[in-house]
Amino acid sequence: MRPNGFLSTDDQIGEITHRCGTTHLGRFAGENRPQITPRAVLVELHSDTLRNMLAAIAIALAAIVVPTGDPPPSRVTIDVVTINGTGCPAGTVAVAVSPDNTKFSLIYANLIAQVGGTSKPTDARRFCTATLRVNAAGYAAGIARAEYRGFAHLESGASASLRLRYSFPGILPIGDKTKNFTGPFSDDWSFVDDQPARSACGGSQTLTLGVDLKVSLGTSDPKKTSFVAMDSVDGSLGQTYDFAWTRCP
């Protein structure tokens, strides 16, 4: 934080949000846009901040109850096999499984696309593909439902799109949803994909999740910043997947 109260790219976003008393990346950037340089919201969060986010996610997951069948009685874990994309640098993605094994959340701490202001041309698109391995002895994992939440700020004339996918490689069907926004818009957003996707007993328990964010300047003022973000935590979950379990012989 600079003495004059303005924020610069030298400040870690984790430090900024901590000092301002918020962990909601998108809303923070929207409410403080006049004081924050566009590049500042693209800085990687501190590892301590990510751990705090995980703790908040676990508490929120425990409070949600959605029937998805009988889950495994023993603890389910998820390994992050690979993370690739322009929107997920190292240390900015984490996974949390609910205590009752009925759902999990994928947390993107730094996934935001933006245009205008001092944004670079490459900032207009951010994507991330995560490959996860579900560890649940005696069970085949599936996805019954996915809920996505985030925040967008679009100036008049700007537009944005999100494409979100999930699948078990080689197995159909897959979840694939697209959501479009047009400015002026400055608010939280959410939507649900209830297309089931299942793995098979004896098959791979590897799950692929994809996120693709795009923002277009359109006819908006190029001096003003527009962005769309997959948020981390604001008391609700950014990206939640309900398991669909199959007990294997």
Side-chain angles (χ1 to χ4, degrees):
M1 184 77 73
R2 296 293 161 262
N4 60 9
F6 280 71
L7 307 173
S8 80
T9 53
D10 294 330
D11 294 298
Q12 290 277 355
I13 192 66
E15 295 174 351
I16 294 170
T17 54
H18 175 72
R19 292 171 184 172
C20 293
T22 180
T23 55
H24 190 295
L25 177 61
R27 180 175 296 127
F28 172 82
E31 292 176 350
N32 295 275
R33 184 172 55 82
Q35 291 184 283
I36 189 169
T37 62
R39 293 299 299 168
V41 297
L42 298 178
V43 179
E44 181 177 337
L45 285 171
H46 280 170
S47 58
D48 288 344
T49 303
L50 194 57
R51 283 194 292 269
N52 292 338
M53 289 159 51
L54 275 171
I57 285 287
I59 293 171
L61 280 168
I64 301 175
V65 178
V66 178
T68 56
D70 295 330
S74 56
R75 184 187 176 195
V76 172
T77 61
I78 296 179
D79 298 326
V80 178
V81 181
T82 61
I83 294 286
N84 296 296
T86 58
C88 45
T92 63
V93 179
V95 182
V97 180
S98 65
D100 60 1
N101 295 332
T102 60
K103 59 180 53 60
F104 72 95
S105 182
L106 190 63
I107 308 156
Y108 297 102
N110 202 31
L111 187 50
I112 178 171
Q114 63 181 40
V115 293
T118 59
S119 304
K120 296 180 179 179
T122 53
D123 294 339
R125 182 189 178 202
R126 286 287 183 264
F127 65 92
C128 185
T129 301
T131 302
L132 311 178
R133 182 184 299 110
V134 182
N135 304 303
Y139 286 78
I143 302 297
R145 179 178 182 272
E147 183 173 4
Y148 306 102
R149 296 178 182 272
F151 186 88
H153 173 83
L154 300 174
E155 297 290 336
S156 180
S159 60
S161 67
L162 302 89
R163 186 181 181 191
L164 301 112
R165 304 175 304 282
Y166 55 86
S167 65
F168 290 89
I171 301 177
L172 295 175
I174 64 174
D176 193 335
K177 279 280 190 179
T178 299
K179 186 174 181 66
N180 298 308
F181 303 90
T182 57
F185 182 90
S186 188
D187 204 351
D188 292 314
W189 56 263
S190 66
F191 67 99
V192 170
D193 187 352
D194 55 6
Q195 172 65 57
R198 293 179 180 271
S199 62
C201 287
S204 172
Q205 299 300 303
T206 301
L207 172 65
T208 300
L209 307 175
V211 180
D212 196 339
L213 310 182
K214 297 178 182 179
V215 185
S216 174
L217 194 63
T219 59
S220 66
D221 185 346
K223 296 179 181 179
K224 296 181 179 180
T225 304
S226 295
F227 67 88
V228 61
M230 293 292 298
D231 285 313
S232 303
V233 175
D234 66 343
S236 61
L237 301 182
Q239 218 175 142
T240 307
Y241 300 85
D242 295 334
F243 278 122
W245 292 109
T246 300
R247 188 167 185 175
C248 299

